[in-house]
Amino acid sequence: MDFTILTKDVHSAARTGEFTTAHGVVQTPIFMPVGTVASVKAVHQHELREDVKAQIILGNTYHLYLRPGIDVLHQAGGLHQFMNWDRPILTDSGGFQVYSLSDIRRVSEEGVRFQSHIDGSYHMFTPEYSMEIQRNIGADIIMAFDELTGIPAEYHDAKRAMHVTHRWVERCRKWLSENPPLYGYEQTLFPIVQGNSFRDLRIESAEFIANFGADGNAIGGLSVGEPEDVMYEITELVCGILPKDKPRYLMGVGTPWNLLECIALGVDMFDCVMPTRNARNGQIFTRNGVMNMKNAKWKDDFSMLDENGTSLVDRQYSKAYVRHLFVSNEYLGKQIASVHNLAFYLELMREAREHIEMGDFMDWKNRMVPVLKQKL
């Protein structure tokens, strides 16, 4: 994977760039919609391409492994063919999902044994098997299998998980070197920085990952309930250590204002379920603030959903109509809100790139963040 930095902001660590994969070029900073089970919830693929203008999406190894299963994905020719998506895909390793199954998992040096949330059956993920699954999925960017700890955590638990993660990434690289690609193109492995909220562990992990020599690097174990200032502190610390000429991916983040703040700290790539999950609950993100579409104040507001929006749904439907859909529990409301939120996130990334290029990113960011946080 080739990564080129195009512009650097003189007042922050923000930069614009682009990386090339077998399925296309991605401009950074970028947000990746989450397509957990070969579907970005409530959004058609043509809407992702045309309205949202998604450049890259994310698939989930744990969920795709359970359903439809790697045999089906392999027979289909990989996830791109299976879901009719011809642009880049990134897959996570399953580590976060296994972490979330804390009551039904057991971690060892070999890997993680867990029970399926679907039928209670037992499974074992090792670094090698995570790579095999992601090989069959066929994503352009694949994540190393890692162990994370929630924040707060005991120091000795965070340190043990970090060292396990470091040993596992070596096993991931070894497996990939011994097993050729399945679909005629290379996959890029991103290792993951861990260390919880402990500065010395984050420094140690970031230095280890920086020396690993990957084509891109990820920051994991954040956006798990910690205060925003802790997330920003750790992100700034790690970005200052990771290679400047490689893309930096902050996993699972976040709100629109989180994205802008972390771009200023040097992050290039983001993903989060928030725009679609919150959309399905009636929450709309706009450049004027956050709207709850179930509120009675929108009942007779016939102005467009978002007059400044870039997607077709913003200019096709009124606030009153979308509110009606939500209070009537009509699925179309969830779809409209999901398309809007994703389009808003991608447009925010485009504007961020534009302001970095213009040289006024920090002024723009500082004006935008308090407005984006407003409750309308």
Side-chain angles (χ1 to χ4, degrees):
M1 187 185 80
D2 296 321
F3 177 64
T4 303
I5 296 174
L6 302 177
T7 311
K8 295 181 180 179
D9 182 48
V10 297
H11 303 294
S12 73
R15 69 263 190 94
T16 67
E18 62 180 29
F19 61 82
T20 304
T21 75
H23 290 91
V25 177
V26 175
Q27 297 175 313
T28 62
I30 193 63
F31 179 83
M32 301 178 286
V34 177
T36 304
V37 289
S39 166
V40 177
K41 282 184 170 53
V43 181
H44 290 289
Q45 273 78 318
H46 73 82
E47 291 173 313
L48 286 173
R49 295 185 189 96
E50 298 161 18
D51 285 356
V52 174
K53 297 179 175 61
Q55 299 181 45
I56 177 173
I57 63 172
L58 182 145
N60 186 276
T61 292
Y62 166 84
H63 289 284
L64 291 170
Y65 161 76
L66 292 176
R67 287 189 300 209
I70 58 175
D71 289 343
V72 171
L73 290 170
H74 182 69
Q75 291 176 50
L79 184 57
H80 289 91
Q81 296 295 321
F82 184 63
M83 68 178 294
N84 189 29
W85 178 256
D86 60 357
R87 296 179 184 179
I89 296 176
L90 178 149
T91 44
D92 64 10
S93 68
F96 179 80
Q97 283 66 39
V98 170
Y99 152 78
S100 67
L101 301 172
S102 57
D103 295 334
I104 50 176
R105 66 174 171 88
R106 180 173 296 176
V107 181
S108 67
E109 183 66 32
E110 180 61 19
V112 182
R113 187 172 186 264
F114 61 92
Q115 282 184 272
S116 164
H117 73 286
I118 299 171
D119 60 10
S121 58
Y122 285 92
H123 304 267
M124 181 76 178
F125 272 13
T126 64
E128 294 82 5
Y129 195 36
S130 175
M131 294 300 97
E132 182 178 349
I133 297 168
Q134 292 185 79
R135 189 70 106 196
N136 279 273
I137 293 172
D140 300 271
I141 301 173
I142 62 179
M143 305 305 298
F145 193 53
D146 63 331
E147 183 188 352
L148 65 152
T149 52
I151 297 177
E154 296 293 335
Y155 183 85
H156 63 86
D157 290 332
K159 185 174 183 178
R160 180 200 55 77
M162 179 195 72
H163 285 303
V164 167
T165 294
H166 294 172
R167 290 191 292 271
W168 283 358
V169 71
E170 297 284 6
R171 289 166 58 185
C172 289
R173 178 160 64 180
K174 182 175 185 295
W175 189 94
L176 290 172
S177 69
E178 295 171 351
N179 293 271
L182 289 178
Y183 307 119
Y185 55 88
E186 295 291 334
Q187 296 172 286
T188 299
L189 176 68
F190 277 27
I192 303 172
V193 175
Q194 289 294 349
N196 205 272
S197 60
F198 302 103
R199 288 182 63 88
D200 62 326
L201 297 184
R202 284 289 180 173
I203 292 170
E204 180 181 349
S205 187
E207 289 176 345
F208 178 90
I209 296 304
N211 291 327
F212 187 74
D215 288 334
N217 301 290
I219 306 168
L222 294 175
S223 193
V224 290
E226 78 280 1
E228 284 186 345
D229 60 339
V230 172
M231 176 175 68
Y232 297 148
E233 177 188 352
I234 296 300
T235 299
E236 182 176 23
L237 176 69
V238 173
C239 284
I241 298 171
L242 291 178
K244 292 180 171 57
D245 60 343
K246 305 296 182 183
R248 307 179 186 119
Y249 165 31
L250 181 57
M251 305 178 75
V253 176
T255 64
W257 50 93
N258 289 159
L259 270 59
L260 296 189
E261 295 287 8
C262 291
I263 287 171
L265 301 177
V267 175
D268 305 294
M269 301 166 64
F270 303 89
D271 82 281
C272 191
V273 297
M274 181 172 286
T276 47
R277 176 179 289 171
N278 289 28
R280 296 194 301 277
N281 291 313
Q283 190 175 76
I284 297 288
F285 296 105
T286 77
R287 67 186 60 254
N288 298 315
V290 184
M291 295 192 298
N292 182 347
M293 297 314 300
K294 297 179 182 179
N295 285 349
K297 67 185 295 184
W298 312 119
K299 182 177 181 179
D300 56 0
D301 187 333
F302 302 104
S303 63
M304 292 296 93
L305 180 62
D306 185 357
E307 293 172 349
N308 297 313
T310 60
S311 72
L312 290 175
V313 299
D314 293 326
R315 298 184 296 277
Q316 285 182 325
Y317 306 111
S318 69
K319 297 179 181 70
Y321 178 63
V322 175
R323 178 189 180 271
H324 158 72
L325 294 175
F326 273 102
V327 298
S328 302
N329 200 29
E330 285 290 335
Y331 287 111
L332 180 59
K334 302 176 191 295
Q335 183 177 0
I336 290 171
S338 297
V339 171
H340 162 81
N341 277 356
L342 288 174
F344 173 71
Y345 269 57
L346 268 295
E347 177 64 13
L348 194 65
M349 294 296 95
R350 188 198 64 76
E351 288 188 35
R353 295 193 297 269
E354 184 178 87
H355 284 283
I356 295 170
E357 291 168 356
M358 292 169 57
D360 65 349
F361 171 76
M362 286 300 289
D363 288 342
W364 173 77
K365 187 268 292 182
N366 290 337
R367 290 195 308 270
M368 287 290 290
V369 166
V371 176
L372 292 171
K373 290 182 174 182
Q374 293 182 140
K375 305 292 186 185
L376 300 178

